[in-house]
């Protein structure tokens, strides 16, 4: 082939690589294709120029190719939106409008604030604490249902689910501040968030892709909530300083009005931002995953060393166990989050090995925690708290063990391993839901924790 | 003959799997083989083939490795995996069922447009 032809192909390459939806390896493959076609044409008697033109024509317009590649390379909704898939257009228009989001945010703020008018130190306050997850996320669910319009059955299921969850949270007479009370308070938000997922994924909730989208949404929502909380915190700090300087006590206004309203509103605004500003966070997610995975791996190492060095492996401090659990949940979340940031054609690299290290560390920590819990149960018998912690740890153990095994297969570049990991992680979502219901509904009466 | 887009899309996966079951191959050769098998009736575009190859690779049905062409160019070769072989068996059973049903029905009503497209 001549230099002139190479120049032309290089030019085509440069144009093609500028497309956001086509990766460099995609272009490599297409270039081989193009050159192969040109070779067979020149062999048939065409000149280089003619062959190039014919092959280009055959390859189709760059727009068409980029479009087709985008379909496969990206399951992300926003990219399909950019390409103008008709079905998603209506959804896109609804997703980007800020006014509805603000209206729902105001409703969310009101919903969080209203119960505070009641007898906050008595029955109303207790109910509020137990159902906080439902109250705080009701506006998010409503906004998602309005935006996605997922069909009557699903809408009814989600709305009914939220109502049922609130009813279940308030069903038993529990001692305020008791073990069952606190565990209900902590578990209701998890179940409510799964209902948010149902509202978000819509009719695609059965599919791995739909659930992965929800996981992505969760990660990005948390990022936006964190950013909003930081901004809100700074604003509240400044307001407090100004008010104090002016001789007014700002505590009541800040804690009873600004804070609850801010949290209720921010939950909806973050939901809107995830959809409306997709491309921003999509670029950030891989970076965050890469920053925090090494840090967490390091933390696990340190924690393991601390625990082992204490020389008291079988009788860990109760608080240390609680910390371990919190960190384990974070680790499982981080694996899931990294998965969403992984591009499909990513090759195995140091990052995958780091993830294996992270999960292995988490697994070791989880086993340690489990041994401790089982020892406690053996010594002191079954209690409500021990059962709750044991269940959560067993689910985590299954999650981490299978994840570790699948991650090792990913590092070996086995075909379909990433997909299997996605399937496994998303298949667990309903399991969390079932366990949460067991903790809220079955365990309190089973341990006779109901107030008589 | 103009084969509708839906039919082309539906038959694309079993065709690619079948061609890779014959031998390991690469993009351009697969497109040529498709044209050959269909006597030039099926003309695949690159926009159809490559995303499909990448999807099958992600599903673990085929496996791609970068190698070199005869002239030393970078080229991606694809190979059928055990999973892909199983998937192909499934496709084969499905297509046989459809084809048998159609043939059976056509024989029953003695409808035969013949290869030229005219009533026989």
């Amino acid at each position: 082939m001549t230099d002139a032809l190479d120049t032309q192909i290089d030019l085509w390459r440069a144009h093609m690589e500028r497309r956001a939806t086509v990766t460099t390896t995609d272009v490599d493959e297409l270039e081989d294709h193009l050159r192969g076609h040109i070779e067979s044409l020149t062999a048939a008697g065409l000149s280089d120029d003619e062959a190039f033109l014919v092959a280009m024509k055959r390859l189709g317009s760059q727009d068409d190719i980029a479009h087709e590649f985008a379909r496969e390379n990206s399951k992300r909704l926003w990219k399909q939106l950019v390409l103008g898939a008709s079905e998603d257009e209506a959804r896109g228009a609804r997703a980007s409008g800020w006014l509805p989001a603000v209206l729902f945010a105001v409703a969310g703020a009101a919903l969080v604030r209203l119960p505070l008018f009641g007898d906050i130190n008595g029955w109303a306050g207790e109910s509020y604490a137990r159902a906080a997850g439902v109250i705080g996320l009701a506006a998010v669910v409503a906004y998602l249902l309005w935006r996605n319009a997922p069909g009557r059955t699903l809408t009814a299921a989600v709305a009914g689910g939220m109502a049922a969850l609130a009813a279940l949270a308030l069903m038993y007479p529990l001692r305020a501040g008791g073990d069952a009370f606190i565990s209900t308070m902590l578990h209701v938000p998890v179940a409510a968030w799964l209902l948010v997922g149902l509202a978000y994924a819509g009719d695609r909730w059965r599919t791995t892709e739909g659930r992965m989208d929800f996981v992505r949404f969760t990660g990005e929502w948390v990022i936006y909530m964190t950013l909003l909380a930081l901004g809100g915190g700074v604003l509240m700090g400044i307001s407090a300083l100004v008010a104090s300087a002016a001789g007014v006590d700002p505590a009541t206004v800040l804690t009873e009005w600004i804070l609850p309203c801010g949290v209720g509103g921010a939950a909806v605004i973050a939901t809107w931002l995830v959809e409306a500003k997709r491309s921003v966070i999509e670029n950030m997610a891989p970076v965050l995953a890469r920053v925090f995975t090494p840090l967490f791996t390091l933390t696990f190492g340190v924690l393991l060393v601390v625990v082992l060095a204490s020389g008291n492996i079988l009788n860990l401090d109760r608080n240390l166990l609680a910390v371990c659990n919190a960190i384990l949940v974070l680790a499982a979340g981080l694996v899931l989050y990294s998965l969403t940031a992984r591009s499909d054609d990513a090759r195995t690299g140091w990052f995958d090995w780091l993830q294996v290290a992270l999960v292995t560390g988490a697994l070791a920590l989880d086993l340690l925690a489990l041994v401790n819990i089982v020892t406690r149960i053996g010594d002191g018998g079954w209690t409500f708290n021990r059962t709750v912690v044991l269940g959560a740890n067993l689910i985590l153990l299954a999650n981490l063990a299978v994840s570790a095994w699948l991650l090792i297969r990913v590092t070996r570049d086995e075909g379909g391993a990433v997909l299997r990991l996605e399937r496994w992680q998303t298949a667990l979502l309903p399991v969390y839901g079932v366990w949460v219901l067991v903790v809220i509904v079955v365990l309190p009466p089973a341990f006779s924790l109901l107030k008589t | 003959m103009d084969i509708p887009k839906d039919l082309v899309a539906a038959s694309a996966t079993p065709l690619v799997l079948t061609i890779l079951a014959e031998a390991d191959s690469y993009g351009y050769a697969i497109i040529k083989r498709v044209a050959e098998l269909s006597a030039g009736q099926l003309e695949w575009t690159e926009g159809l083939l490559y995303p499909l190859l990448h999807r099958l690779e992600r599903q673990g049905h085929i496996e791609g490795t970068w190698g070199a062409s005869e002239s030393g160019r970078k080229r991606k070769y694809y190979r059928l995996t055990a999973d892909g072989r199983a998937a192909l068996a499934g496709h084969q059973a499905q297509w046989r069922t459809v084809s048998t049903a159609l043939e059976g029905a056509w024989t029953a009503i003695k409808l035969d447009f013949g290869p030229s497209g005219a009533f026989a």
Side-chain angles (χ1 to χ4, degrees):
Chain A
M1 276 188 211
T2 59
D3 287 346
L5 187 62
D6 280 338
T7 319
Q8 272 179 310
I9 291 177
D10 284 346
L11 219 61
W12 166 83
R13 246 199 100 97
H15 271 290
M16 208 64 204
E17 277 177 354
R18 230 171 282 154
R19 306 262 163 181
T21 58
V22 184
T23 64
T24 316
T25 48
D26 288 339
V27 183
D28 282 345
E29 203 174 11
L30 281 176
E31 184 187 334
D32 174 49
H33 184 102
L34 189 66
R35 285 180 184 271
H37 199 186
I38 291 172
E39 269 167 22
S40 70
L41 288 171
T42 44
L46 261 61
S47 75
D48 277 356
D49 271 356
E50 288 166 338
F52 180 76
L53 284 175
V54 172
M56 277 314 275
K57 173 102 180 137
R58 180 61 223 277
L59 199 57
S61 85
Q62 292 197 343
D63 273 343
D64 291 346
I65 295 235
H67 193 115
E68 293 297 332
F69 271 101
R71 264 179 213 275
E72 174 51 26
N73 282 354
S74 163
K75 285 148 278 151
R76 303 298 304 258
L77 193 65
W78 73 268
K79 275 187 182 162
Q80 286 168 24
L81 282 179
V82 172
L83 295 161
S86 57
E87 186 192 340
D88 296 323
E89 253 167 27
R91 190 179 158 159
R94 280 194 158 184
S96 54
W98 58 270
L99 186 63
V102 170
L103 291 178
F104 275 97
V106 170
L111 212 58
V112 173
R113 178 67 187 99
L114 277 180
L116 292 178
F117 286 113
D119 169 22
I120 202 64
N121 293 316
W123 178 84
E126 285 175 25
S127 315
Y128 186 52
R130 280 205 250 168
V134 176
I135 297 170
L137 292 172
V140 173
V141 167
Y143 174 64
L144 284 172
L145 286 177
W146 168 81
R147 198 186 64 194
N148 299 351
R152 217 170 277 170
T153 324
L154 206 87
T155 308
V158 175
M162 287 296 270
L165 185 61
L168 289 177
L170 302 176
M171 181 170 55
Y172 297 128
L174 299 174
R175 192 169 57 81
D179 289 344
F181 184 92
I182 290 183
S183 112
T184 302
M185 223 172 91
L186 290 175
H187 282 82
V188 166
V190 178
W193 189 253
L194 288 174
L195 287 169
V196 168
L198 199 55
Y200 180 80
D203 302 318
R204 302 191 309 139
W205 72 273
R206 275 194 200 85
T207 63
T208 305
E209 287 78 28
R211 290 183 190 184
M212 270 322 270
D213 266 354
F214 164 56
V215 171
R216 239 169 238 140
F217 166 76
T218 305
E220 292 168 11
W221 186 83
V222 169
I223 295 175
Y224 274 120
M225 272 307 262
T226 313
L227 294 177
L228 290 173
L230 277 176
V234 170
L235 265 177
M236 278 172 61
I238 292 173
S239 316
L241 284 177
V242 171
S244 307
V248 185
D249 179 21
T252 317
V253 176
L254 283 180
T255 56
E256 287 181 18
W257 282 95
I258 309 291
L259 187 63
C261 289
V263 171
V268 178
I269 295 295
T271 307
W272 167 68
L273 280 172
V274 169
E275 258 350 83
K277 306 281 171 217
R278 279 233 143 185
S279 52
V280 181
I281 291 291
E282 196 199 31
N283 295 332
M284 227 159 95
V287 180
L288 284 174
R290 275 173 157 66
V291 169
F292 281 105
T293 303
L295 290 178
F296 267 86
T297 313
L298 202 68
T299 313
F300 280 127
V302 172
L303 250 172
L304 277 173
V305 170
V306 167
V307 168
L308 293 176
S310 72
N312 206 359
I313 303 170
L314 290 182
N315 196 10
L316 289 183
D317 181 55
R318 202 184 143 106
N319 292 330
L320 189 59
L321 265 182
V323 172
C324 284
N325 267 321
I327 291 186
L328 282 171
V329 171
L330 276 174
L334 198 63
V335 170
L336 204 55
Y337 182 68
S338 311
L339 209 55
T340 68
R342 190 188 169 89
S343 68
D344 286 337
D345 58 346
R347 286 289 141 214
T348 314
W350 61 271
F351 189 67
D352 293 300
W353 284 107
L354 203 62
Q355 272 197 302
V356 173
L358 173 84
V359 173
T360 316
L363 206 55
L365 206 61
D366 192 26
L367 279 172
L368 209 64
L370 269 173
V371 168
N372 267 279
I373 298 158
V374 172
T375 317
R376 266 160 204 267
I377 290 173
D379 291 347
W382 292 84
T383 65
F384 176 79
N385 271 347
R386 284 171 196 162
T387 313
V388 171
V389 175
L390 179 71
N393 270 291
L394 282 176
I395 295 176
L396 274 173
L397 182 76
N399 178 340
L400 293 168
V402 177
S403 295
W405 179 66
L406 287 171
L407 270 169
I408 289 172
R409 298 182 62 170
V410 169
T411 58
R412 287 204 200 130
D413 250 344
E414 269 182 48
V418 175
L419 197 73
R420 279 199 193 95
L421 189 56
E422 286 182 4
R423 261 193 220 138
W424 164 247
Q425 288 286 349
T426 53
L428 281 174
L429 292 177
V431 176
Y432 303 147
V434 170
W435 174 246
V436 163
L437 286 182
V438 169
V439 170
I440 297 174
V441 180
V442 180
L443 293 186
F447 283 94
S448 328
L449 287 179
L450 308 193
K451 207 162 55 176
T452 44
Chain B
M1 183 170 31
D2 213 7
I3 298 173
K5 225 173 138 189
D6 288 351
L7 204 51
V8 174
S11 57
T13 305
L15 261 173
V16 166
L17 293 178
T18 308
I19 290 167
L20 290 177
E22 295 172 346
D24 296 358
S25 191
Y26 57 95
Y28 184 58
I30 293 176
I31 283 199
K32 277 208 300 199
R33 184 79 183 116
V34 169
E36 214 173 281
L37 284 170
S38 65
Q41 297 287 353
L42 276 175
E43 280 209 41
W44 280 10
T45 59
E46 289 73 9
L48 169 80
L49 176 70
Y50 288 101
L52 173 64
L53 284 172
H54 297 170
R55 183 158 58 244
L56 289 172
E57 190 182 3
R58 202 166 57 83
Q59 291 168 343
H61 291 170
I62 63 177
E63 206 175 57
T65 40
W66 285 97
S69 70
E70 309 81 49
S71 56
R73 215 163 44 227
K74 225 172 125 185
R75 177 173 286 170
K76 196 172 181 186
Y77 289 93
Y78 292 93
R79 189 179 69 78
L80 195 67
T81 63
D83 275 6
R85 213 165 279 280
L88 177 57
H91 281 292
Q92 207 172 16
Q94 289 163 11
W95 280 89
R96 285 229 167 100
T97 310
V98 173
S99 149
T100 313
L102 281 173
E103 285 295 340
W106 288 333
T107 317
I109 59 169
K110 296 195 170 52
L111 190 65
D112 188 5
F113 294 95
S116 61
F119 267 106

